[in-house]
Amino acid sequence: MIVVTHINNKLISVFDNVSKVSIDINCSSALDAMFKLSKKYPERLIAWCHHDLKEVLNDKGFQDTFHHKLIMASYELRNENYISENIGFVDSSPFIKINKNVTYPTWLMSSCIGAIHAEVLLKYDFNEFKNDSFEYALNSIAKIGMLNGLFCYSEPNLLQSNSIKLPPFKTKTKTLFKFIKQHYKSGWIFITFFNSLIYEKKLLILPLLVSIFNSKKQASLNFNNIAVKSSRRNNNNLTIDVVIPTIGRKPYLYDVLQDLSKQTLLPKQVIIVEQNQNQNSKSELDYLKSNNWPYKIKHIFIHQTGACNARNIALENVKSEFVFLADDDIRFDVHTLKKALSQMNDYGLKAATLSCLKKGEKETKNNIMPWHTFGTASSIILSSITKSIHFDLAYEHGFGEDGDYGMQIRNLSQDVGYLPDCSLLHLKAPVGGFRTKFEHPWEKEKILPKPSPTVMLFNLKHRTKFQLLGYKTILFLKFFKLQSNKNIFTYMSNMKKRWNKSIYWAQHLNNRY
């Protein structure tokens, strides 16, 4: 590892962290030095740190963190990130609300300490960043990279325990607008302007006008020729169980079991939780016993409906190293499980969501990449992770349980990857399914909550204040188009009441469970 030390982007020193020998580089900025070093040492890890932190680098932390080349990581010692928290007005991803106590996926990079592999950095055009501040460039590199397969993290283990404090930097509004203009759709700068005016009473005309003249950053990269072989690779004899909650989809489930029976990597066990709320009912899945299946089937029949409860029951019975969370109306080819586990192995991933599209939809992603959501119908997880978390029953018969489960995974220091070429077909069967008719208590209210209280619960638990406000604005604008009442004043008054009612019921759900 080669280390670049700096103070406010001014280059102070460069040294080889293995030999401790200084390296001469003819430049004055830390960013320039990193690009030049990448050309000179294309097989090395290029690290940066504030000069005051060079004595507290955690070598073991660097070795553990950079287990393959397509990783960029940093850690911010200060209470604020360089990019203002107002970025939540436009970015609703889980990458904004960082859990700083664990390894956490985010493109929000810090100049305090961090690293990126030289081979990765060489994929970027230095001319795109040479006029940017060091902090801005690091965030830009990560933001663009994550969209193209670069796994970026906040990593506290890069530093040894210390009491060093760095001077705070002032986040600038013009920087926020510039970053939005260069990395998001142009219309988001106007949404940010509007939100700042409505929620903060700030009239940010100058930052808005200046940002209009900023051009987009490099939109795409190709990391395909960078070999990815994680040092965290598991053994090649991986085992997997399959979990399937089902209700009223006998023929569709049969097809899923047939697909599983043809896998080049057979599951050890398929755990089926069949639900029927009729207390006098019996299982309709006669083929579970009448057919000969090449794997063990554990069939659990219950009279309580709800996918959260069903999956929790099933996960308690998992015995293999990995578990595939499946739906009862998906189809997939014979190599799906083997291919997915192989790719997860290469990237050192312990959780991944597979591509799961409806008929006629086309996959738009080309690379394995960090994923902003989580699919309960199409994901594979290391089984030991599932022993530490559960599907929250507060989301039962609603929406948001999958996203919440994904957030629980991330807050355990695990990332969720996306495997676009391990594809499933989601039939979205018109019968049965998990979301049977269920009457929630708020459906009897005179003022109906908007959004759904389970969606609001997810937002309250996992999004920042600014992400919540940004979501509120977009919701109000989109829903207005659907209303026959076009009186903006009465509409806003009614929507505020519905929003507050949603918060009330979300808090009720959270306290109840």
Side-chain angles (χ1 to χ4, degrees):
M1 180 172 71
I2 296 173
V3 182
V4 173
T5 74
H6 69 94
I7 296 179
N8 298 329
N9 194 29
K10 181 180 179 182
L11 181 65
I12 304 300
S13 67
V14 179
F15 62 92
D16 188 313
N17 199 46
V18 177
S19 65
K20 305 301 180 183
V21 174
S22 295
I23 298 174
D24 291 327
I25 196 84
N26 185 26
C27 57
S28 59
S29 82
L31 186 65
D32 191 6
M34 286 176 59
F35 273 91
K36 288 183 176 179
L37 289 165
S38 294
K39 292 180 179 179
K40 190 174 182 180
Y41 305 98
E43 291 300 317
R44 301 294 296 277
L45 184 68
I46 308 298
W48 67 88
C49 76
H50 191 282
H51 189 67
D52 293 350
L53 298 173
K54 70 175 185 176
E55 300 300 328
V56 291
L57 296 180
N58 183 7
D59 292 342
K60 178 68 163 54
F62 273 90
Q63 291 173 11
D64 291 343
T65 299
F66 295 92
H67 55 96
H68 66 72
K69 290 182 178 179
L70 284 180
I71 290 175
M72 182 180 185
S74 72
Y75 188 69
E76 179 57 71
L77 282 176
R78 293 160 289 206
N79 293 327
E80 292 184 319
N81 294 303
Y82 176 75
I83 301 296
S84 164
E85 60 183 348
N86 294 57
I87 191 69
F89 281 149
V90 305
D91 195 321
S92 61
S93 76
F95 309 135
I96 304 300
K97 190 176 181 179
I98 300 171
N99 183 345
K100 297 186 73 172
N101 297 316
V102 301
T103 304
Y104 192 87
T106 180
W107 55 262
L108 288 165
M109 291 289 108
S110 169
S111 62
C112 292
I113 190 167
I116 187 172
H117 200 278
E119 194 174 348
V120 174
L121 193 57
L122 287 173
K123 296 294 183 180
Y124 294 83
D125 182 359
F126 174 65
N127 292 321
E128 287 272 343
F129 311 99
K130 65 180 181 180
N131 295 322
D132 296 327
S133 70
F134 187 41
E135 291 88 353
Y136 189 97
L138 291 175
N139 281 274
S140 182
I141 288 169
K143 184 71 175 72
I144 297 168
M146 281 189 83
L147 295 173
N148 293 278
L150 184 63
F151 287 76
C152 303
Y153 303 99
S154 166
E155 179 51 80
N157 293 321
L158 298 182
L159 287 171
Q160 301 173 33
S161 297
N162 68 87
S163 58
I164 297 173
K165 292 185 178 180
L166 299 180
F169 46 67
K170 292 184 178 180
T171 55
K172 297 180 179 180
T173 303
K174 68 176 183 179
T175 299
L176 173 68
F177 275 81
K178 174 185 176 182
F179 194 87
I180 293 171
K181 179 61 165 58
Q182 293 192 319
H183 300 88
Y184 297 84
K185 292 183 178 180
S186 297
W188 284 111
I189 58 173
F190 300 101
I191 295 293
T192 303
F193 174 83
F194 177 78
N195 283 333
S196 299
L197 179 62
I198 297 300
Y199 299 121
E200 299 184 295
K201 311 305 179 188
K202 294 179 180 179
L203 190 62
L204 304 177
I205 295 177
L206 185 58
L208 173 67
L209 294 177
V210 171
S211 69
I212 291 174
F213 299 98
N214 292 123
S215 57
K216 292 288 182 184
K217 288 288 188 182
Q218 183 179 352
S220 62
L221 298 168
N222 189 339
F223 296 132
N224 290 340
N225 63 348
I226 297 180
V228 179
K229 293 293 179 183
S230 172
S231 60
R232 295 179 179 176
R233 285 173 60 86
N234 298 296
N235 66 70
N236 293 321
N237 298 314
L238 299 175
T239 59
I240 189 167
D241 285 354
V242 181
V243 162
I244 311 175
T246 187
I247 180 170
R249 286 179 175 170
K250 179 180 177 180
Y252 293 92
L253 176 62
Y254 180 82
D255 289 338
V256 176
L257 296 176
Q258 285 289 343
D259 285 350
L260 288 172
S261 71
K262 299 171 185 175
Q263 290 297 296
T264 49
L265 174 62
L266 281 172
K268 293 290 184 182
Q269 179 181 216
V270 178
I271 306 164
I272 299 169
V273 180
E274 183 184 3
Q275 306 150 72
N276 191 321
Q277 60 189 355
N278 184 344
Q279 296 295 320
N280 298 316
S281 62
K282 295 182 180 180
S283 173
E284 64 175 0
L285 305 178
D286 54 297
Y287 51 68
L288 296 183
K289 291 183 177 180
S290 61
N291 286 40
N292 291 320
W293 303 101
Y295 41 70
K296 177 183 177 182
I297 289 183
K298 185 171 183 63
H299 176 221
I300 302 170
F301 184 67
I302 60 175
H303 296 296
Q304 178 180 334
T305 61
C308 295
N309 176 63
R311 290 192 177 101
N312 285 338
I313 291 173
L315 288 168
E316 290 176 358
N317 291 275
V318 169
K319 296 178 180 178
S320 294
E321 294 170 81
F322 285 85
V323 56
F324 174 31
L325 295 180
D327 236 347
D328 59 359
D329 62 341
I330 56 174
R331 302 301 306 271
F332 42 95
D333 67 40
V334 297
H335 302 295
T336 297
L337 294 184
K338 185 175 183 178
K339 185 177 182 181
L341 284 177
S342 176
Q343 291 182 353
M344 290 175 68
N345 212 6
D346 287 342
Y347 278 75
L349 289 168
K350 296 180 180 179
T353 291
L354 285 60
S355 173
C356 191
L357 305 177
K358 292 182 290 186
K359 189 174 181 179
E361 292 181 335
K362 291 186 178 180
E363 180 58 68
T364 59
K365 309 299 181 185
N366 299 314
N367 307 299
I368 295 173
M369 60 192 297
W371 201 228
H372 60 276
T373 184
F374 181 81
T376 49
S378 56
S379 292
I380 296 177
I381 318 167
L382 187 71
S383 298
S384 59
I385 294 176
T386 68
K387 307 305 180 185
S388 301
I389 57 180
H390 67 280
F391 283 95
D392 191 341
L393 296 182
Y395 295 95
E396 196 72 287
H397 300 290
F399 295 92
E401 83 281 358
D402 46 0
D404 179 83
Y405 199 78
M407 291 305 300
Q408 291 183 61
I409 293 173
R410 295 182 185 95
N411 283 303
L412 285 177
S413 289
Q414 302 301 332
D415 202 0
V416 178
Y418 183 64
L419 313 181
D421 60 344
C422 292
S423 57
L424 311 175
L425 173 63
H426 201 171
L427 299 178
K428 290 288 185 180
V431 296
F434 307 148
R435 304 195 186 281
T436 53
K437 179 60 180 174
F438 181 87
E439 188 173 283
H440 293 282
W442 53 79
E443 293 178 28
K444 299 177 182 178
E445 292 272 11
K446 184 177 180 180
I447 298 176
L448 294 176
K450 188 72 179 178
S452 163
T454 57
V455 173
M456 179 63 80
L457 176 61
F458 177 85
N459 288 330
L460 293 175
K461 286 177 65 176
H462 302 299
R463 285 180 170 169
T464 68
K465 177 183 73 173
F466 291 96
Q467 286 181 306
L468 186 61
L469 293 174
Y471 171 76
K472 182 179 182 180
T473 297
I474 297 302
L475 176 70
F476 280 31
L477 291 175
K478 286 185 175 179
F479 197 57
F480 181 68
K481 298 177 183 178
L482 305 176
Q483 304 305 300
S484 56
N485 176 16
K486 297 303 180 181
N487 185 314
I488 189 65
F489 298 106
T490 57
Y491 170 78
M492 289 300 296
S493 176
N494 183 54
M495 280 297 288
K496 285 178 181 179
K497 292 176 182 177
R498 297 185 69 178
W499 177 269
N500 291 333
K501 186 65 71 174
S502 181
I503 291 177
Y504 167 81
W505 280 107
Q507 292 172 339
H508 172 78
L509 288 172
N510 195 42
N511 293 332
R512 181 180 176 185
Y513 294 97

